[in-house]
Amino acid sequence: MSANTPVGLHRALDAVWRAPKGIAALSAVNHTVVGRRFIITAFIYFAIGGLLAMLIRAQLARPENPFLGADAYNQIFTMHGTVMMFLFAIPLIEGIALYLLPKILGARDLAYPRLSAFGYWCYLFGATIILVSMLMGVAPDSGWFMYTPLASQPYSPGINSDVWLLGVTFVEISAICAAVEIVVTILKVRTPGMALSRMPLMAWYLLVTAAMMLIAFPPLILGSVLLEIERAFNWPFFDPERGGAPLLWQHLFWLFGHPEVYIIFLPAAGAVSTLIPVFARTKIVGYAWIVAAIIALAFLSFGLWVHHMFTVGIPHLALAFFSAASMLVAVPTAVQVFAWIATLMRGRPQMTLPMLYLMGFFSVFILGGLTGVMLALVPFNWQAHDTHFVVAHLHYVLIGGFVFPMLAAAYYWLPLMTGRLPVFQVSKAAFWLIFLGFHGTFLIMHFTGLMGMPRRVFTYEGGLGWDLPNLISSIGGFVMTAGFALFVVDIVLQTRFGRRFRRNPWGGTGLDWAMPTPAPSYNFASLPLVTSRDPLEDNTRLGADIAAGKGYLPGAPRGEMETLCVDMATGEPEHVLVLPKNDYTPFFMASGLAVFFVAFLFSAYWVAPLGLVIAAVFGWRWLWSLGAKSDPEPIDAGHGLSLPVHYVVSSVPTLLGLKYFLAANGAFFGSLVFGYLFLWTTAPDWPPPEFLGASPALVAAIAIGLTAASGFAFNARRANQAGRAGARLIHLAGSLIASLVALVALIALAVFDAPSPESHAYAATTMAVIGYVMLHALLGILFTAYALARCRFGFVSAMRSADMRGTAIWQLYTAITGLGALALIILAPGGMG
């Protein structure tokens, strides 16, 4: 068989790209495999969360029900919220993004396949910690929001809260990895010609969502770390008797929690914006307006976190501001809804099964939005706060705004995974059971809440008027569960016995339907040139042309996994991205972190560093496998285009990913500064009895060391560009020594000058700030040592300079945050001894 035929190209590419079988599957990094793992695992956890919800509804079906005791109920309702929010919704978004993005962008894989695989293992291991705790009877029981002081050691002395804090933090590492992966892939790994103005709307939604994740998730990670440190080592960040403040936890949690509502909604809205034009047989109305609305929604969502804290006693001016902002956010949402309605009116909608779920979305989500506006009004919020009205609103927004569109998306894109269409008619029955059961459960719950029933109670007295509404809600819940069970049956039937089809069953116009189904491991035999937002409408033979190798990078002539990187704005090809093959490193690195988290959970603190060492060793091995020992020749990309390999370009994706990781890191640091200033200005018992007695010599050593480390690193980068190998090594050595000096001075400051962190929240937060800088100085030492080793073994040249630039970027970030941290703790009253 000729290698230039479609069959020959397929065989050559599949030999390079296919995922291994058996135990070797642990090494798979292909985005199709990893994305499917995320999606399937998330739906399994959704089923578990649904079963927990049925236990809740069974308990509340009648008053004074002995079915569940208070302790069991607290664990179940905490686990239900935790599973649905952290183990289902966000991971499902990650899975859909990882699976779909290369297919809709015209690429063969993501920017960092191993990072996606690492994220999946972090998600699986973190979720396992949380779920196993339920089987052992020590599941979290302080609510999925983990409010202090209820979750603090005096009121939750077991490991229940630790399970939540450590497990969720482990899962959030996965989310940060996925966010970096998504942002860099959308910006750089696209097919030629796909300018930002030609990107599918789904890509825009996912880009904004991932950017929000980078900013919104670090406050929760910080809060979880601080609360776990308080529980483990008695540092009083949230203890008001020693200068802490329980409200700090609420601020950190909702700095994450309210943007998360839109993080969940936006990808679902992206599915709506994708499916409606397909089934209305017309183009989307208001493409540019929708993009503007997405970005506006993202910005506004970060100004709403106090929307959940109207009853905690904040000043009236702040109440007015956050109430107005909460109502203003309805404007960009309305822009999208009007665009969808206009598209339906302009086209000729076909009432297919995905469209049926979209109609369900419209009716449910709009009702949820209306109750959201009601809760944005402070007087009404005061009355409805902590009642079942809020529970009903939350489910109308999340199930209506997320689950219904995701079920529509499942039916729309499942043929891409299976190559089959549904043949049995149970799917419509499943929809109506879900739709009617949902309203039977949560529409009634609005009235239960208005009648005064509080949330989070495991039982209630009879004769209060809540008996019948709760019974109806419980019946509705079981009807809805039956619908979801029927949905699973329908998916299994479609996967096993569905009708096969050739290509593009829905008549879509995007690149995701320009490939064979089920999608091959490499997606595209060659990469197409895109000239509009609807490439399949422009060229109905595009799929055949791609399969015949008439695009860019046809086949796998070099036996490597290759795709193209383009200019962020214009989509012009810039270089060839050579991707890593299957690798066990992500699995073992995540396993090392699992050792750390489990050891910390059981207070085996002497074992925990071993897990970090394992993770660091495999992280070093991961980085060491990048690059080459010689400057590679340009690659023939087809159509007369010769492009360099990504190792030798200035816009190497590795450095772009580092910058976005540092953006998330900066959000973490900003949250830490916010916490420090919040406690200083609002917490009781401030100023503290004992300040930091920082000696000027230590402060000077830290400042000079951090500044010099950054300066030497940049000088090493410039020397490398000039081809001066000797000067490069001298400057790297100088950066290493300067970082060591700063680290030693930081340790001395923490040991000799800082007050005991157990004494007061001031001492604890000061030590947390110092610890942050210490960690980054230590990592700066490792970065610099790595760069020295790479120079020694020939991986660095004037063209292959990513290691040098990465070290300079890290040292600059460490210097900026380190000097900022010093200013924060030294300029505070009494900071200098």
Side-chain angles (χ1 to χ4, degrees):
M1 181 66 64
S2 171
N4 295 323
T5 65
V7 175
L9 289 173
H10 166 75
R11 289 179 177 174
L13 283 161
D14 191 59
V16 176
W17 287 85
R18 65 173 173 258
K21 305 293 184 182
I23 191 66
L26 295 176
S27 68
V29 299
N30 184 283
H31 82 99
T32 298
V33 175
V34 175
R36 278 202 309 253
R37 286 175 176 172
F38 264 104
I39 292 169
I40 293 171
T41 306
F43 271 115
I44 290 173
Y45 293 147
F46 179 65
I48 294 172
L51 292 175
L52 294 172
M54 291 306 93
L55 293 176
I56 294 172
R57 288 315 321 169
Q59 171 64 21
L60 297 178
R62 62 189 184 94
E64 300 179 0
N65 193 347
F67 177 61
L68 291 174
D71 291 340
Y73 183 86
N74 286 340
Q75 290 190 28
I76 288 170
F77 103 80
T78 299
M79 286 295 295
H80 168 69
T82 300
V83 168
M84 290 304 196
M85 298 295 286
F86 297 104
L87 307 188
F88 165 63
I90 297 298
L92 181 63
I93 291 168
E94 296 166 24
I96 290 173
L98 299 180
Y99 180 84
L100 276 182
L101 274 176
K103 295 172 172 55
I104 66 175
L105 297 175
R108 287 186 175 138
D109 211 318
L110 300 158
Y112 316 112
R114 288 185 291 189
L115 186 63
S116 299
F118 171 71
Y120 173 74
W121 296 119
C122 289
Y123 163 48
L124 182 65
F125 294 157
T128 301
I129 291 173
I130 295 172
L131 291 176
V132 169
S133 72
M134 186 167 55
L135 299 177
M136 298 175 63
V138 291
D141 55 2
S142 300
W144 66 272
F145 34 80
M146 206 55 56
Y147 280 171
T148 57
L150 183 62
S152 299
Q153 187 70 28
Y155 304 98
S156 182
I159 67 169
N160 306 64
S161 295
D162 302 298
V163 167
W164 191 98
L165 295 168
L166 294 168
V168 166
T169 300
F170 203 177
V171 171
E172 295 305 284
I173 292 174
S174 167
I176 295 296
C177 292
V180 172
E181 180 79 87
I182 292 167
V183 170
V184 177
T185 296
I186 294 174
L187 292 178
K188 295 297 297 182
V189 188
R190 307 197 299 267
T191 201
M194 187 177 281
L196 288 178
S197 59
R198 295 173 182 162
M199 279 202 320
L201 277 173
M202 188 68 178
W204 274 108
Y205 277 100
L206 291 173
L207 174 62
V208 173
T209 298
M212 292 175 66
M213 291 166 66
L214 290 176
I215 306 302
F217 284 18
L220 175 65
I221 296 174
L222 172 67
S224 299
V225 169
L226 295 184
L227 183 52
E228 180 58 29
I229 290 175
E230 177 179 288
R231 290 177 56 83
F233 305 119
N234 198 27
W235 294 16
F237 300 105
F238 308 102
D239 181 3
E241 294 184 0
R242 289 180 289 166
L247 274 185
L248 174 59
W249 170 265
Q250 288 199 39
H251 280 288
L252 293 175
F253 184 88
W254 291 115
L255 277 168
F256 146 83
H258 204 86
E260 190 201 23
V261 173
Y262 300 98
I263 288 170
I264 291 172
F265 166 67
L266 283 176
V272 176
S273 295
T274 301
L275 271 59
I276 282 180
V278 173
F279 295 112
R281 295 293 180 243
T282 187
K283 294 184 178 181
I284 190 76
V285 172
Y287 175 97
W289 282 98
I290 291 175
V291 173
I294 299 167
I295 297 171
L297 192 64
F299 277 106
L300 288 172
S301 70
F302 285 95
L304 308 181
W305 80 93
V306 180
H307 170 92
H308 297 267
M309 302 170 61
F310 283 165
T311 61
V312 300
I314 62 176
H316 285 185
L317 182 62
L319 286 176
F321 172 82
F322 286 104
S323 178
S326 300
M327 288 183 280
L328 182 63
V329 79
V331 175
T333 305
V335 169
Q336 298 171 75
V337 173
F338 290 148
W340 297 331
I341 294 173
T343 304
L344 290 170
M345 292 180 65
R346 187 171 77 173
R348 290 181 296 175
Q350 298 176 335
M351 195 51 64
T352 60
L353 184 61
M355 274 297 291
L356 191 62
Y357 277 100
L358 291 184
M359 293 301 102
F361 153 76
F362 275 113
S363 64
V364 175
F365 181 71
I366 290 175
L367 287 174
L370 292 174
T371 57
V373 173
M374 294 169 65
L375 287 170
L377 299 170
V378 175
F380 181 83
N381 189 290
W382 283 347
Q383 300 302 314
H385 185 75
D386 263 351
T387 69
H388 273 225
F389 187 94
V390 179
V391 179
H393 159 71
L394 175 70
H395 285 81
Y396 260 80
V397 171
L398 293 182
I399 294 182
F402 179 70
V403 175
F404 276 92
M406 286 297 103
L407 295 179
Y411 278 113
Y412 179 74
W413 276 299
L414 190 63
L416 193 63
M417 297 186 185
T418 64
R420 296 176 183 269
L421 290 170
V423 293
F424 300 97
Q425 294 302 310
V426 296
S427 49
K428 292 184 178 179
F431 166 79
W432 287 112
L433 286 174
I434 294 171
F435 184 76
L436 296 175
F438 171 82
H439 285 294
T441 304
F442 298 107
L443 181 62
I444 302 301
M445 201 177 290
H446 286 96
F447 303 116
T448 315
L450 291 175
M451 287 188 285
M453 182 172 178
R455 62 201 293 197
R456 307 167 194 151
V457 293
F458 82 102
T459 191
Y460 54 93
E461 296 180 4
L464 298 176
W466 306 340
D467 305 25
L468 182 59
N470 271 300
L471 179 60
I472 295 173
S473 289
S474 294
I475 293 172
F478 281 95
V479 171
M480 181 172 57
T481 302
F484 281 118
L486 203 56
F487 166 79
V488 173
V489 171
D490 188 50
I491 295 298
V492 172
L493 290 175
Q494 177 176 336
T495 304
R496 294 289 303 275
F497 308 110
R499 175 173 56 86
R500 295 188 180 276
F501 62 95
R502 268 190 72 78
R503 201 184 279 260
N504 197 3
W506 309 115
T509 59
L511 291 177
D512 44 332
W513 296 110
M515 62 182 68
T517 53
S521 55
Y522 51 85
N523 292 333
F524 302 97
S526 60
L527 306 183
L529 175 66
V530 169
T531 57
S532 76
R533 296 173 194 151
D534 301 288
L536 286 186
E537 185 180 86
D538 299 341
N539 179 8
T540 56
R541 287 190 48 80
L542 183 61
D545 291 342
I546 292 171
K550 295 181 180 180
Y552 295 90
L553 290 181
R558 288 161 292 277
E560 296 287 351
M561 302 168 70
E562 298 171 346
T563 192
L564 287 177
C565 284
V566 300
D567 179 81
M568 288 187 191
T570 66
E572 290 296 315
E574 285 188 340
H575 55 269
V576 175
L577 178 61
V578 180
L579 297 167
K581 296 183 179 179
N582 298 315
D583 190 354
Y584 288 98
T585 301
F587 174 78
F588 288 116
M589 187 173 172
S591 299
L593 290 181
V595 171
F596 169 79
F597 281 106
V598 173
F600 218 91
L601 178 62
F602 291 103
S603 302
Y605 302 126
W606 61 275
V607 178
L610 175 62
L612 294 181
V613 170
I614 294 172
V617 167
F618 282 99
W620 184 290
R621 181 182 182 277
W622 182 337
L623 293 174
W624 195 262
S625 66
L626 302 174
K629 290 188 176 182
S630 60
D631 296 337
E633 296 294 327
I635 289 176
D636 179 11
H639 296 275
L641 190 63
S642 182
L643 295 174
V645 178
H646 75 276
Y647 308 141
V648 298
V649 298
S650 59
S651 57
V652 56
T654 305
L655 294 181
L656 192 59
L658 175 61
K659 292 175 182 177
Y660 285 111
F661 268 119
L662 290 179
N665 196 341
F668 183 94
F669 179 70
S671 301
L672 181 58
V673 172
F674 166 81
Y676 187 96
L677 296 177
F678 176 82
L679 291 177
W680 191 275
T681 55
T682 65
D685 195 26
W686 288 73
E690 184 180 3
F691 287 95
L692 173 71
S695 66
L698 286 179
V699 172
I702 295 168
I704 293 172
L706 294 176
T707 305
S710 177
F712 277 123
F714 273 90
N715 285 336
R717 175 186 169 182
R718 284 191 284 267
N720 181 67
Q721 289 175 328
R724 295 183 287 117
R728 177 184 68 189
L729 294 177
I730 291 172
H731 288 300
L732 282 176
S735 181
L736 183 66
I737 294 170
S739 291
L740 281 168
V741 169
L743 180 61
V744 171
L746 284 162
I747 294 172
L749 181 69
V751 172
F752 299 111
D753 288 357
S756 170
E758 299 180 14
S759 61
H760 192 273
Y762 162 77
T765 51
T766 299
M767 189 64 75
V769 172
I770 295 172
Y772 177 89
V773 183
M774 287 172 58
L775 174 62
H776 286 73
L778 175 61
L779 291 173
I781 292 170
L782 294 178
F783 262 101
T784 310
Y786 172 80
L788 279 166
R790 296 282 281 187
C791 292
R792 168 68 179 79
F793 286 94
F795 285 94
V796 178
S797 71
M799 294 179 67
R800 291 172 281 114
S801 60
D803 298 316
M804 305 298 298
R805 287 186 288 145
T807 301
I809 290 170
W810 182 269
Q811 294 288 38
L812 176 62
Y813 176 86
T814 301
I816 292 173
T817 54
L819 294 176
L822 280 179
L824 180 69
I825 62 176
I826 299 303
L827 296 181
M832 292 291 288

